[in-house]
Amino acid sequence: MQKEFTVKNPMGIHARPAGEIVKKASSFPCKISFLVDDKKINAKSIVGVLAAGLHHGDTVTVVTDGEKEEEALNEIGALIESILE
């Protein structure tokens, strides 16, 4: 499954939001990755999420595969769009 989400945090995805995303992604048994500028990034890797360099207004495609993939897609996407600080 995959779906696009937009980063709404004016500060982008820096260390603290990236940590929240990795923590949430790691709570699911399925594979979760981000597609950003033709790069596939492991959403369970803090280094990978930070290296994506996501800024306010960027779109990220969340891709999930495996057990609880729909739940993971919805929760990770909601988290990406709800982080505002």
Side-chain angles (χ1 to χ4, degrees), residues 1-84:
M1 303 185 76
Q2 68 179 45
K3 187 174 177 182
E4 277 191 3
F5 297 93
T6 302
V7 176
K8 296 182 178 175
N9 186 8
M11 303 294 287
I13 303 297
H14 56 80
R16 200 161 69 82
E20 290 180 40
I21 291 168
V22 169
K23 184 176 177 182
K24 177 62 78 176
S26 296
S27 72
F28 290 99
C30 60
K31 292 181 182 177
I32 304 172
S33 53
F34 296 162
L35 297 178
V36 179
D37 297 332
D38 296 329
K39 291 184 224 169
K40 189 172 185 178
I41 297 160
N42 180 357
K44 296 181 181 181
S45 163
I46 187 76
V47 174
V49 173
L50 286 172
L54 296 169
H55 299 95
H56 177 256
D58 287 348
T59 58
V60 58
T61 302
V62 178
V63 181
T64 58
D65 183 31
E67 186 180 343
K68 294 187 175 182
E69 62 185 13
E70 185 173 358
E71 184 180 347
L73 181 69
N74 292 330
E75 290 195 24
I76 297 296
L79 183 58
I80 289 170
E81 292 192 335
S82 69
I83 296 172
L84 298 171

